[in-house]
Amino acid sequence: QEMEALKQFYIRQRANFKTALASYELTEAKECLQATIKALATRIKQITEKIDKVISEDKELSARRALYVQESGIGEKIAQTLICTLPELGSCRGKEISSLVGLAPFDRSSGETNGPKHIRGGRKNVRTAMYMAGIAVRRCKSGEVKDFYRQLKAANKSNRVIAIACARKILIRLNAATRSMLQQLQTAS
């Protein structure tokens, strides 16, 4: 978990330096910022490789990764984020895991006022990764989540609402699949 947190820190820093780069005109300043961005990219790559090695050497973590990348919208990076920062995946109910990540809709109502539901809280880096998975579903050709995406699109939901709903659906599917996989691993041991 610490290595993933460090990787996320470096990713945020790299984004900050890229943003700063646009506001400088002096060549020396730009070169300095570009060198820092390059160094951060190297560190991110090194940490990613270390985490990948740890996952590959562990039977359960390796099985989790193989399971996660089979799901629509989930690639190696998102699978790595889930493994490192969401060890509860597979041990909670669907609503609990959605709430833990911050993808559960919460009412914004008080008295007679009824506002729209919004997501909030949870683990920001996991929520961001799952949101990206929800967006990636658009490019998938088929599957249960793609069908869900099409239903929401036909109902004229906004792209943001669709991405969040698909992210939650993917997370709940992964939770159930992980629970089954863990039970099989325990039975085999």
Side-chain angles (χ1 to χ4, degrees):
Q1 284 183 339
E2 288 180 4
M3 292 302 284
E4 178 67 21
L6 182 60
K7 182 178 85 171
Q8 295 298 326
F9 173 75
Y10 282 143
I11 289 170
R12 286 190 304 274
Q13 292 303 313
R14 181 179 62 181
N16 291 339
F17 278 102
K18 283 182 177 181
T19 302
L21 183 63
S23 63
Y24 284 87
E25 293 181 19
L26 189 63
T27 305
E28 292 85 14
K30 284 188 173 227
E31 288 173 356
C32 184
L33 287 170
Q34 287 170 340
T36 304
I37 291 167
K38 187 176 179 181
L40 287 169
T42 302
R43 294 302 274 159
I44 292 166
K45 183 179 178 189
Q46 290 170 345
I47 292 170
T48 301
E49 289 170 355
K50 285 181 185 178
I51 293 171
D52 191 46
K53 184 179 179 200
V54 169
I55 291 171
S56 296
E57 292 173 353
D58 186 280
K59 182 181 177 182
E60 180 187 322
L61 297 180
S62 181
R64 280 179 182 253
R65 179 175 53 195
L67 178 70
Y68 297 167
V69 296
Q70 291 175 359
E71 184 63 49
S72 300
I74 303 291
E76 292 287 334
K77 289 180 182 179
I78 295 175
Q80 192 178 77
T81 300
L82 290 172
I83 290 167
C84 293
T85 56
L86 195 62
E88 299 88 352
L89 198 59
S91 63
C92 300
R93 292 188 335 233
K95 289 182 180 180
E96 291 171 343
I97 202 74
S98 293
S99 184
L100 184 64
V101 171
L103 288 172
F106 289 99
D107 286 331
R108 290 187 59 157
S109 55
S110 174
E112 293 182 19
T113 306
N114 287 324
K117 293 182 178 185
H118 293 278
I119 60 170
R120 66 172 184 257
R123 298 183 186 162
K124 187 177 185 329
N125 60 335
V126 179
R127 185 176 64 245
T128 302
M130 292 308 300
Y131 183 78
M132 296 309 294
I135 290 173
V137 167
R138 283 187 267 183
R139 292 188 303 257
C140 296
K141 291 185 171 57
S142 62
E144 185 179 328
V145 181
K146 180 66 176 194
D147 293 340
F148 181 64
Y149 167 83
R150 287 184 183 123
Q151 288 174 350
L152 294 173
K153 197 70 173 165
N156 290 322
K157 300 292 182 182
S158 72
N159 288 335
R160 184 172 182 269
V161 168
I162 293 171
I164 292 168
C166 288
R168 185 171 45 253
K169 181 126 180 133
I170 293 167
L171 183 67
I172 291 170
R173 285 172 49 86
L174 284 175
N175 189 54
T178 304
R179 185 179 309 115
S180 297
M181 183 208 63
L182 292 174
Q183 289 171 349
Q184 290 173 356
L185 285 176
Q186 287 176 351
T187 304
S189 321

